Amino acid sequence: MEGNEIRLDTSIPQKDSINAYIKPYRDRVNHILDSTLAYAPKKITKVDGPYNTTAGNLLADIVFSEGAPIFKSRTGKNLDFVFLNHGGIRSIISQGKISARTAFEVMPFENTIVVVELSGKSVKKLLAYLLESGMAHPISGMQIVLNTDNTLASVKIQDKPFDENRHYFVATSDYLAAGGDSMIFFKEALSVTTIDYLIRNAMIDYFKRVDTVAPKVDYRFYKLTP
């Protein structure tokens, strides 16, 4: 048996009969993807803040708002916070209309929301990872304050001081829950609940519910000034 590569690119001429056959399907898909769901009054990006960003805050808050009720209904337990990765955000959201295509551009992966139960000790490792990374990883449900020397001043989860002696339920992606991006603390999970919900679909559902999407850089993670 022998094989060879057949390159598919623009050098191959289009065939009218094939184009005519797929046109109704292409038009329908484009109509669904490009229909306006919400509006962004300004650009949303992952580079507009040193510790948290508009894009990161939006994505983390969406995972929390859309995922928490499902987790609650299936387990009877409350979600504590969300932790995602900065690199998972693959596009800005431009000023103007927001569509389903926007969600595909921001989150092109088939990642699902997973809720991981972590011990307080593992959450300390999560915090250490966040500080050492130097990146604005998306968080929600948690507030982190740094001293001027970059040491931890305080950590609150659901407006309560972090308690190393309790367990926390953390929503993340299935990729990160498996230890992706060197987040090995997730592999110390005491339990893992898959809620069968694509992060991209959570974004689309959120966009359908709101009229205007205007996240802000806020005080969920910041550094004290001298």
Side-chain angles (χ1 to χ4, degrees), residues 7 25 31 66-67 93 113 121-122 130 149 155 169 171 192 210 221:
R7 188 174 297 278
Y25 304 99
H31 173 73
E66 306 306 301
I93 297 178
I113 300 172
K121 182 179 179 181
S122 295
L130 176 58
D149 62 356
V155 177
F169 291 100
V192 178
V210 301
F221 185 14

Side-chain angles (χ1 to χ4, degrees), residues 38-49 52-63 65 89 91-96 98 102 106 138-140 203 206-207 210-220:
Y39 176 80
K42 63 179 183 179
K43 182 173 69 173
I44 300 169
T45 174
K46 67 175 184 178
V47 296
D48 51 7
N52 68 90
T53 68
T54 52
N57 293 350
L58 175 64
L59 186 60
D61 288 348
I62 287 175
V63 169
S65 67
I89 302 171
S91 174
I92 66 168
I93 297 178
S94 299
Q95 179 182 3
I98 294 175
T102 306
V106 174
I139 62 172
S140 182
M203 294 178 67
Y206 175 83
F207 294 152
V210 301
D211 175 74
T212 303
V213 179
K216 298 178 180 179
V217 174
D218 56 25
Y219 289 98
R220 69 185 66 193

Side-chain angles (χ1 to χ4, degrees), residues 13-31:
Q14 296 188 19
K15 198 167 185 178
D16 291 342
S17 59
I18 295 177
N19 278 336
Y21 180 79
I22 66 174
K23 185 178 185 305
Y25 304 99
R26 179 192 290 122
D27 291 347
R28 176 59 179 166
V29 168
N30 286 335
H31 173 73

